[in-house]
Amino acid sequence: MADRLVVIGGDAAGMSAASQARRRRGPDELEIVAFERGHFTSYSACGIPYWVGGQVSRIDDLISRDPDTFRNEYRIDVRTRHEVTAIDLDRREVVARSLDDGGREVREPFDQLVYAAGAVPVTPAWARTDAAGVFGVQTLDNGAALLDWLTQDPPPRRAVVVGGGYIGVEMAEALIQRGLTVTLVERSPEPMSTVDPDMGVLVREALCALGLDVRSGASVTGLQSRDGRVVAVHTDAGTFPADVVVLGIGVRPNTGLAAGAGLPLGPTGAIRVDLRMRVMGQDGIWAAGDCVESVHRVSGQPVFVPLGTHANKQGRVAGINIGGGYATFAGVVGTAVTRVCDLEVGRTGLRERDAAAAGFEFVTARVESTNRAGYFPGAERMTVKLIAERHTGRLLGAQIVGRSEAAKRIDVLAVALWNRMTVEEMANLDLGYAPPYSPVWDPVLVAARKAAAELR
């Protein structure tokens, strides 16, 4: 008889695992059933702000492979609109209910299980409301609901975005592009708290130049509704009128089912897995994506870093192992990029507060440079910040804020970080040069030279 694989979660990690397992084991060797709560599989949640803002025209453009593709081409039994409600490890089965069929319950046995339930939005008490007009933007279903609200007649005119992280700033820009008046509320001193505050202030300046009313250092205390619709957001810095509220407060690992089944959670609240993405101490149970914790390659500590890049890689690793191969996931350094209007932001490794918490003694170097030779048309300012270990010179983290060609320079720094390079070694890197692409001393090299001087 064929083995049976059940996958919980039909997005990046879950379907990557299912696809890789299928490539290695045919339908006669391995039956695969995948449960997904929503309508869609294998889609780009990161693209939702660009869909809302009109830069992506169709929802289908955000879908890599739809359920029918998996069913027909991969021979994977994808069951959308099914919510898994329990995992019985003793009986080796999952319990799920249909969300469209009167709540009909099904039980599916498994030999192998992939837990890829992702993350769920952080929802403070004040956000738990029945008032219409309040939206998260984690799934395509969320994005479709928000677009329906924005295209009603008459359309909303005033928006409040709560949270100044990646999704928050991207959604704020999308709403500006749709013609709304937007207030961004962020409780940290500066938006984009994934970078240090001295770099976050550059992001705030760009947001203000875009026309946003940025209220940093402010906390939401409640929502006000009238006739069943949101009309205002109350904060400790005042009340702001709103016809629509978008929540970008962050996410936490979706581990309720896992904890209920007795699967081990780590200090981050996410599932503990080994290098092969196997759940610690569990035979035939795997986990991947935004519900697992990873090892940070710089600090050596467990971290929860929910990014689609990691989810795809982790799912692939799990699927290869389920399919009879051998693969490992080597950890993360937390590299991420985003764009605010024409301002690009990149980061990798540890921030100052992360380095301090991990017990490092460190120096910082911050330089101003340009993306191209200063005399070349289109040259724009760029700020690069490096954090290096004081005694060894090893790079611990890096941040870049600038315009054209800024963000992807973080990849050079991520590779240096991954390979434990020192800033002295980085200062001698042989990087490409031509006036349309870089000054003769690339901003990365200038920053490395300054960091090396700080160490001396």
Side-chain angles (χ1 to χ4, degrees):
M1 291 180 62
D3 284 343
R4 192 171 182 81
L5 168 64
V6 171
V7 178
I8 301 174
D11 199 9
M15 298 317 294
S16 290
S19 299
Q20 287 295 325
R22 171 57 75 232
R23 288 188 177 101
R24 286 159 176 78
R25 300 179 67 183
D28 293 337
E29 296 181 60
L30 182 67
E31 298 177 3
I32 306 177
V33 178
F35 290 105
E36 166 55 40
R37 193 179 191 282
H39 292 88
F40 308 99
T41 55
S42 292
Y43 58 86
S44 172
C46 298
I48 293 174
Y50 308 105
W51 177 35
V52 172
Q55 293 162 289
V56 175
S57 58
R58 304 180 310 133
I59 189 172
D60 289 348
D61 294 334
L62 300 179
I63 300 172
S64 175
R65 293 184 181 88
D66 63 23
D68 283 340
T69 298
F70 283 114
R71 293 174 186 131
N72 299 328
E73 297 183 18
Y74 288 78
R75 301 286 298 275
I76 296 172
D77 181 5
V78 177
R79 303 184 191 179
T80 55
R81 299 292 292 158
H82 277 74
E83 180 179 34
V84 175
T85 58
I87 303 169
D88 190 328
L89 295 181
D90 292 330
R91 299 182 64 176
R92 307 290 281 187
E93 68 178 16
V94 301
V95 182
R97 66 182 181 91
S98 170
L99 300 177
D100 292 331
D101 190 18
R104 182 177 61 88
E105 186 177 277
V106 297
R107 290 178 173 267
E108 287 294 334
F110 63 83
D111 299 294
Q112 307 268 347
L113 175 71
V114 173
Y115 190 101
V120 292
V122 173
T123 309
W126 57 260
R128 299 174 196 139
T129 176
D130 294 329
V134 181
F135 299 92
V137 283
Q138 189 187 16
T139 67
L140 288 191
D141 291 299
N142 297 152
L146 174 58
L147 271 175
D148 285 345
W149 186 264
L150 294 175
T151 53
Q152 63 184 303
D153 188 21
R157 294 182 297 109
R158 302 164 302 185
V160 172
V161 177
V162 184
Y166 296 108
I167 291 296
V169 298
E170 290 166 3
M171 285 304 307
E173 180 181 357
L175 295 170
I176 285 281
Q177 291 170 339
R178 295 191 68 94
L180 280 74
T181 300
V182 182
T183 300
L184 177 69
V185 180
E186 166 58 45
R187 69 179 181 180
S188 297
E190 300 294 346
M192 201 65 69
S193 61
T194 54
V195 299
D196 289 320
D198 61 329
M199 302 292 276
V201 70
L202 303 176
V203 178
R204 175 166 54 81
E205 291 170 355
L207 291 170
C208 292
L210 193 61
L212 271 85
D213 178 13
V214 179
R215 302 300 178 112
S216 53
S219 296
V220 174
T221 57
L223 302 177
Q224 181 179 339
S225 61
R226 184 182 305 122
D227 299 327
R229 300 165 64 99
V230 67
V231 295
V233 176
H234 298 300
T235 78
D236 56 11
T239 296
F240 304 100
D243 305 310
V244 58
V245 174
V246 175
L247 305 177
I249 306 170
V251 297
R252 58 177 177 81
N254 185 11
T255 54
L257 279 174
L263 299 183
L265 305 185
T268 67
I271 300 172
R272 295 183 63 220
V273 293
D274 64 17
L275 294 177
R276 300 182 70 199
M277 306 311 298
R278 183 169 44 202
V279 177
M280 292 288 194
Q282 299 290 330
D283 183 38
I285 311 297
W286 312 79
D290 292 353
C291 57
V292 306
E293 66 180 22
S294 304
V295 175
H296 199 291
R297 287 175 63 92
V298 179
S299 69
Q301 297 174 344
V303 290
F304 172 63
V305 184
L307 290 174
T309 50
H310 303 156
N312 276 284
K313 294 170 188 173
Q314 291 168 347
R316 180 177 184 274
V317 166
I320 289 172
N321 289 314
I322 292 168
Y326 184 85
T328 60
F329 182 72
V332 304
V333 293
T335 308
V337 296
T338 192
R339 188 185 69 185
V340 183
C341 191
D342 62 343
L343 188 75
E344 301 177 4
V345 183
R347 58 95 61 208
T348 190
L350 306 180
R351 299 165 294 184
E352 288 187 33
R353 60 183 177 273
D354 302 324
F360 288 107
E361 292 185 21
F362 59 89
V363 299
T364 65
R366 174 173 152 157
V367 300
E368 305 289 332
S369 186
T370 55
N371 60 331
R372 305 172 187 175
Y375 57 80
F376 198 87
E380 297 277 5
R381 303 299 297 177
M382 182 187 309
T383 303
V384 181
K385 179 176 181 177
L386 302 185
I387 301 169
E389 187 175 17
R390 180 177 296 279
H391 301 294
T392 66
R394 176 167 68 113
L395 182 67
L396 299 178
Q399 300 160 31
I400 298 180
V401 177
R403 285 176 167 79
S404 178
E405 294 108 37
K408 288 300 282 180
R409 272 183 167 88
I410 204 69
D411 290 342
V412 173
L413 295 160
V415 172
L417 195 69
W418 189 271
N419 289 284
R420 302 175 64 87
M421 291 182 69
T422 67
V423 290
E424 290 90 346
E425 292 170 329
M426 291 169 54
N428 294 313
L429 285 172
D430 186 5
L431 303 183
Y433 160 69
Y437 302 109
S438 169
V440 66
W441 282 94
D442 190 89
V444 168
L445 302 181
V446 176
R449 287 173 57 192
K450 184 173 181 181
E454 292 287 341
L455 289 167
R456 290 192 293 269

